[in-house]
Amino acid sequence: MHAFDRGAKKLSKRILRYALKRVRMDPPLDHAVPEAELRRQVGRTVTREGIGAERAMSVWEDILAPACISIDHPRYFSYVPAAPTEAAGLFDVAASAANIFGGSWQEGAGAIFAENEALRWISDIAGMPAESGGVFVSGGTAGNLSALVAARWRWRRDSSPTMNVARGVIIASRAAHSSITQAAQVMDVDVMWAEDDDRGRLSGDSVRAAWQVMTEDQRSRTFCVVATGGTTNVGIVDDLAGVGREAAEHGLWFHVDAAYGGAALAAPSVRGLFDGVEHADSIIVDPHKWLFAPFDSCALIYRDPRVARAAHTQHAEYLDALRHDDDWNPSDYAHHLTRRARGLPLWFSLAVHGTAAYTESVERSLIVTREGADDIRASTHLELVMDPELSVLVFRRTGWTTEQYYAWSDKVLTDGLAFVVPTSWRGETVLRLCLVNPATTRDDLRLVFDSLK
Ligand SMILES: *Cc1c(COP(=O)(O)O)cnc(C)c1O
């Protein structure tokens, strides 16, 4: 008997029972617990003899899991929540059980075929061409970095050899996600900031204005313009058509970061906001945000995947056997080699439920968001900071100080009522609710609004 075989059968049942229970339950909101407190309750878990299945599972179920916030709680409104479908959550368990190497067609053909089906759907709703394609990476941060690296590769390929040692430049809006700044740091490129408007929206005109104040040297080093399809803070979609036109005019790569908002490409009521996205050279959408898939997954799609492949493929003697020129090797399309087939949960759930269920569920979040906006307008103690475009509500509690916002936020979390953290808008502390969970109702919002009285 293998050392790992002892008690394995019983253990499997216990784990699967827990997985099924967790995916189906209405979870309490829960909250973090100080490390010293966890240490006191848990004791030592990694020992020479092992603590056994029963003890390990009960430590997890009774102590550690409740020390994690339930992101799928219908009143989790902070950051960007997530609410995986049961199909997606459980299929992630199945995919882990199979432990597929998702980097090469040679090893993971079937899984990669399925992932590409899901990528195809996202490409289609974005209006990208048939040749477009890409890969699921861990998150928007990884997706943005890989897209920008591909963009720089193309610029250097098409520029004079002097650019091989020149520092690149990207143009982005101040409302772009922090991961764009982070990618620029990792890549050691400069960011030229284009001014966003009074709602945080980047327009073609403001990209043009940024271009006009740049020096000839800066322009020659600029390789990419980044637009956002649903800003993280307030959920505003940039003027993608205008920004894309400016990018094309100057021969720049047009990257659309739709990590949060991209799900709304499937929603007819707001699809018009994304006009122009079809001209993107690359786009990212996080299924772990608003496409009902578990962490962690970001769909990274390139208009011309050959560029990404040239930029990202790793070469070595020990990898030669992987390469068959016609094969689709996901490793080649981002900054990674080994990868789990993390697109499988989205694929399975899409296959089971059909895309219409996705459209309906995204529209649901949009409807509840609009109802929430109506309730805020009708209230006497709350004030919208701006009308919602997608599923983010930003509003103030009239008369409150920053300290009052934070104290309220702590209290409602401790009470298990809701998880809402303050944000700021133009220097003012305000509240922000992000809705992506189809289980969230107008009544959930009203509970939050009433607690602000
Ligand atoms: C969330 C988000 C990201 C980062 O995605 P991660 O998956 O958290 O790395 C990037 N861009 C936008 C617009 C986002 O909302």
Side-chain angles (χ1 to χ4, degrees):
M1 194 162 64
H2 199 280
F4 296 140
D5 286 344
R6 288 190 284 270
K9 261 211 181 100
K10 208 171 134 212
L11 173 67
S12 317
K13 282 205 188 114
R14 183 83 167 75
I15 296 172
L16 290 177
R17 220 173 41 236
Y18 167 77
L20 194 59
K21 182 175 121 184
R22 177 58 186 84
V23 90
R24 292 202 167 146
M25 74 203 253
D26 292 324
L29 187 55
D30 294 325
H31 52 79
V33 172
E35 195 201 350
E37 178 57 24
L38 291 178
R39 173 70 55 213
R40 194 186 62 73
Q41 291 183 40
V42 171
R44 280 185 62 202
T45 52
V46 177
T47 65
R48 185 171 184 284
E49 304 302 328
I51 60 174
E54 268 317 308
R55 170 85 187 131
M57 269 315 283
S58 68
V59 161
W60 172 253
E61 204 170 339
D62 304 334
I63 306 170
L64 299 179
C68 305
I69 294 193
S70 301
I71 314 277
D72 52 340
H73 189 284
R75 289 190 298 281
Y76 180 117
F77 292 116
S78 297
Y79 313 112
V80 181
T85 63
E86 188 173 315
L90 287 179
F91 200 73
D92 204 20
V93 176
S96 287
N99 192 38
I100 291 150
F101 181 83
S104 71
W105 189 263
Q106 181 189 56
E107 290 158 284
I112 295 161
F113 177 89
E115 287 190 293
N116 287 348
E117 290 268 288
L119 287 174
R120 183 76 257 145
W121 174 63
I122 296 173
S123 299
D124 286 347
I125 57 178
M128 300 276 273
E131 320 78 70
S132 64
V135 58
F136 288 95
V137 294
S138 63
T141 300
N144 282 332
L145 175 63
S146 293
L148 293 178
V149 166
R152 181 171 61 183
W153 187 92
R154 190 183 76 175
W155 161 64
R156 284 192 169 142
R157 181 197 65 187
D158 297 345
S159 305
S160 76
T162 54
M163 289 305 168
N164 283 330
V165 291
R167 191 179 161 97
V169 176
I170 63 173
I171 300 174
S173 141
R174 298 212 178 264
H177 187 266
S178 51
S179 56
I180 298 296
T181 318
Q182 176 63 10
Q185 272 176 30
V186 169
M187 295 168 69
D188 202 23
V189 303
D190 292 327
V191 184
M192 290 299 296
W193 298 108
E195 291 307 322
D196 48 330
D197 71 9
D198 55 351
R199 301 200 308 155
R201 185 169 190 258
L202 179 69
S203 67
D205 288 346
S206 95
V207 172
R208 178 173 317 176
W211 184 260
Q212 276 164 357
V213 300
M214 288 164 74
T215 63
E216 226 11 84
D217 168 63
Q218 282 172 325
R219 289 178 188 172
S220 70
R221 291 186 290 115
T222 302
F223 62 89
C224 184
V225 183
V226 179
T228 311
T231 56
T232 317
N233 201 28
V234 294
I236 295 294
V237 181
D238 287 345
D239 165 22
L240 301 179
V243 175
R245 260 196 308 276
E246 288 302 310
E249 190 171 326
H250 305 301
L252 307 175
W253 184 286
F254 176 36
H255 175 63
V256 177
D257 176 357
Y260 149 67
L265 291 166
S269 73
V270 291
R271 178 60 181 79
L273 295 171
F274 292 87
D275 284 351
V277 66
E278 66 278 8
H279 299 303
D281 289 296
S282 53
I283 171 173
I284 64 157
V285 180
D286 276 5
H288 68 213
K289 284 181 171 168
W290 199 2
L291 282 176
F292 320 108
F295 299 130
D296 49 13
S297 105
C298 164
L300 162 61
I301 295 167
Y302 302 94
R303 166 172 299 274
D304 181 356
R306 289 171 307 181
V307 174
R309 183 162 159 168
H312 288 292
T313 301
Q314 298 188 23
H315 300 278
E317 308 85 307
Y318 40 83
L319 296 177
D320 283 349
L322 280 180
R323 307 257 159 260
H324 305 281
D325 278 346
D326 298 334
D327 286 352
W328 188 269
N329 295 315
S331 291
D332 296 347
Y333 299 98
H335 176 67
H336 59 193
L337 182 61
T338 296
R339 64 179 291 275
R340 64 190 267 104
R342 57 167 59 80
L344 284 179
L346 172 67
W347 163 74
F348 185 74
S349 181
L350 274 169
V352 168
H353 296 295
T355 60
Y358 279 72
T359 292
E360 184 184 322
S361 303
V362 172
E363 288 286 6
R364 224 191 118 62
S365 302
L366 293 165
I367 290 168
V368 177
T369 304
R370 290 172 202 137
E371 290 172 346
D374 288 342
D375 286 345
I376 292 172
R377 283 187 204 100
S379 78
T380 50
H381 63 304
L382 306 174
E383 229 173 60
L384 275 178
V385 169
M386 68 180 81
D387 290 340
E389 229 171 50
L390 297 179
S391 68
V392 180
L393 284 169
V394 187
F395 58 101
R396 59 178 69 84
R397 160 67 167 86
T398 48
W400 269 16
T401 62
T402 298
E403 292 68 33
Q404 282 175 298
Y405 281 114
Y406 277 91
W408 169 85
S409 171
D410 288 345
K411 178 168 171 9
V412 290
L413 178 61
T414 315
D415 292 349
L417 178 79
F419 184 41
V420 184
V421 291
T423 185
S424 69
W425 176 252
R426 306 304 191 222
E428 175 192 358
T429 302
V430 293
L431 288 175
R432 169 183 174 280
L433 307 181
C434 182
L435 284 77
V436 303
N437 189 337
T440 301
T441 63
R442 187 175 199 165
D443 285 340
D444 286 315
L445 293 178
R446 285 178 170 166
L447 277 173
V448 171
F449 298 153
D450 287 345
S451 74
L452 284 157
K453 278 194 174 139

